[in-house]
Amino acid sequence: MQEGVVIKPVSFKGLQVKTRVQRRVLVVGYYSLLLVAGVVGVVRPGQRDVVTLINFAFFSCLLLGGIYGRGPVKSYTKPILPLEASGGLSFWEKSGDDVQMLGLSGRARRRDDGGSADWEPLDEREQMERDHAHYEAYRIVRWTLGIVIGVYWVTLHWTNSWIAEKLPVLAMVVLVYVLSLPQAVVLWTEPEDVDAA
Amino acid sequence: MTAASYRMFGIPMEQRRARRRLVVAVYAVLLLFCVGSIVFARTAPMVYNWTIYVTLAAAMLVFGGSGRYGLIKPFPNKPPRPEPAMVDVIRLQLAPMTAGTPDESSWRNDERELSRRDRAHYRAYQVVASAFPVVLLLAALGLKVAQGSLQLAWLTTTTMLQSIFAVALLETVLAMTLPAAIILWTEPDIDLG
């Protein structure tokens, strides 16, 4: 794994993320899709399926990495999956039989560990990069949500019932936006020579 | 970390203990306002405005980081806007050597301070972002209640909207103040020699 760079120089769902242009295309595409999903969710008449909304939100949050080890951005902290913290074994390892859980049958099966197996702590430069990305993301989020709240406050009289009806979809869009923004900042600002080192 | 003045309300803030007391006191006041806003949300819905104003005042005038006032230097690390010409004229008469050389120590963050600023924002982001899944879950729950697929005596759409309002209000207060509060809380004692 490359030292000192938060981005993993890999292809992402078939899309190369080696150059800055490719990374920026990925970011633009990601937020375009989110925008489309939000508009469709708001415009589409009828009742919304809550489970689909939540699944979509959490799946989208993980796509760029950072939180989870499978995206183009390295995981900031070691991904902890259910049961791993208490037992030292990941969720998927628990799917084996009891003998395997006790570690008596040698190496446990590992289908998907979310990147926790090959996870390495971020070095000092990567941590600085991560922290600075969060600082920039914080500023952007504060401004954008401030504007959104301002618009909401001004139009409250006319849009109150509409907002209440569309709240789950809007909350989903905001959630994905906030959780993915630091990773997007990393992808957007990483200099060109990420793959040259 | 701090701007030119190390005092707040006449109390010296060089000691970490003093700064932690200040942070606790400010959050106690803000919590009081938040509780008031939530309690009076139905009878006096505009009370939440006061909470926002008090939070803004605490963030800008007490904690700092977002302007020239407060204990922490401005985060953007950019020089302040140039003063009006008349100020320069007066200053030239009193101390000509200072003309054109703004006091950098009042706004420029060195490398260590920038690092602490970024780390504080990273930590604050984790806290602030964690409130958004709560809002989504509450909104989804509210939708289920509105659809009639979830029926409990105490759980109404109004209750869910009020819960979302409470979480959003607390989140707004934290978003405006938390990075500066983390810096004030964690910064070691300042030795002025």
Side-chain angles (χ1 to χ4, degrees):
Chain A
M1 197 171 281
Q2 199 172 350
E3 291 295 319
V5 178
V6 182
I7 297 171
K8 292 183 283 189
V10 293
S11 70
F12 174 67
K13 310 290 180 198
L15 183 71
Q16 294 293 318
V17 287
K18 286 181 179 174
T19 66
R20 176 185 264 191
V21 174
Q22 288 167 342
R23 290 191 295 272
R24 290 189 170 184
V25 166
L26 173 68
V27 171
V28 172
Y30 179 81
Y31 285 115
S32 302
L33 283 175
L34 178 63
L35 187 67
V36 169
V39 170
V40 168
V42 167
V43 170
R44 193 169 61 92
Q47 305 287 1
R48 268 125 206 107
D49 181 11
V50 170
V51 177
T52 308
L53 265 182
I54 293 175
N55 282 343
F56 178 82
F58 283 95
F59 175 72
S60 308
C61 291
L62 304 178
L63 268 182
L64 293 183
I67 308 166
Y68 189 64
R70 292 292 180 209
V73 178
K74 285 182 192 172
S75 184
Y76 301 137
T77 53
K78 187 173 184 181
I80 296 175
L81 292 168
L83 305 179
E84 189 177 27
S86 57
L89 294 169
S90 76
F91 176 78
W92 297 110
E93 286 171 312
K94 295 282 186 189
S95 63
D97 53 24
D98 289 345
V99 177
Q100 191 178 54
M101 284 172 64
L102 291 169
L104 300 177
S105 62
R107 191 174 176 179
R109 281 198 304 269
R110 190 181 286 270
R111 278 183 285 175
D112 183 6
D113 55 12
S116 65
D118 56 353
W119 182 83
E120 290 174 12
L122 301 183
D123 62 30
E124 206 170 326
R125 184 181 172 278
E126 289 169 339
Q127 284 183 18
M128 285 174 66
E129 210 175 320
R130 174 201 67 185
D131 294 347
H132 189 66
H134 279 80
Y135 167 67
E136 294 294 344
Y138 204 98
R139 284 178 58 211
I140 298 168
V141 163
R142 207 154 45 175
W143 274 107
T144 47
L145 290 189
I147 291 168
V148 167
I149 290 169
V151 170
Y152 168 69
W153 190 78
V154 169
T155 61
L156 188 62
H157 183 68
W158 302 283
T159 59
N160 198 11
S161 58
W162 184 85
I163 293 272
E165 189 190 338
K166 310 291 183 188
L167 194 57
V169 177
L170 299 175
M172 182 272 291
V173 172
V174 171
L175 170 70
V176 176
Y177 170 68
V178 170
L179 291 189
S180 63
L181 197 58
Q183 290 78 265
V185 169
V186 168
L187 289 167
W188 191 269
T189 57
E190 187 68 28
E192 188 64 76
D193 60 349
V194 62
D195 57 336
Chain B
M1 182 275 293
T2 55
S5 172
Y6 292 101
R7 299 179 82 83
M8 183 55 61
F9 308 122
I11 303 166
M13 289 291 157
E14 292 95 341
Q15 300 291 316
R16 176 194 272 183
R17 195 172 46 190
R19 272 180 270 121
R20 288 188 170 184
R21 281 181 188 158
L22 177 74
V23 170
V24 170
V26 167
Y27 274 116
V29 171
L30 292 178
L31 188 65
L32 217 58
F33 272 90
C34 286
V35 171
S37 300
I38 294 163
V39 168
F40 295 110
R42 298 190 75 174
T43 53
M46 299 314 278
V47 170
Y48 79 91
N49 278 352
W50 301 352
T51 308
I52 301 297
Y53 296 145
V54 171
T55 308
L56 275 173
M60 297 178 78
L61 305 178
V62 180
F63 286 171
S66 51
R68 65 174 65 182
Y69 304 105
L71 283 169
I72 300 175
K73 290 178 192 174
F75 290 137
N77 211 28
K78 290 177 184 166
R81 289 178 188 168
E83 293 166 328
M86 184 56 75
V87 176
D88 279 344
V89 172
I90 296 168
R91 187 188 290 159
L92 275 169
Q93 290 170 348
L94 297 176
M97 295 301 288
T98 62
T101 54
D103 181 16
E104 283 200 8
S105 65
S106 65
W107 60 268
R108 185 180 289 282
N109 293 289
D110 61 27
E111 206 171 323
R112 188 192 75 91
E113 290 166 336
L114 287 176
S115 168
R116 291 190 70 85
R117 176 200 71 179
D118 291 349
R119 181 57 59 90
H121 278 83
Y122 169 65
R123 288 179 181 166
Y125 205 94
Q126 314 303 311
V127 177
V128 172
S130 64
F132 286 94
V134 178
V135 171
L136 177 63
L137 288 174
L138 287 174
L141 209 59
L143 184 67
K144 281 182 90 74
V145 172
Q147 286 172 348
S149 52
L150 183 66
Q151 289 180 337
L152 292 168
W154 53 273
L155 198 62
T156 61
T157 310
T158 311
T159 312
M160 298 316 300
L161 286 174
Q162 284 175 346
S163 308
I164 292 168
F165 168 72
V167 173
L169 188 67
L170 290 170
E171 187 181 348
T172 307
V173 169
L174 285 178
M176 287 198 277
T177 56
L178 199 53
I182 289 173
I183 292 176
L184 289 174
W185 190 269
T186 55
E187 190 74 6
D189 293 346
I190 299 165
D191 184 14
L192 295 175

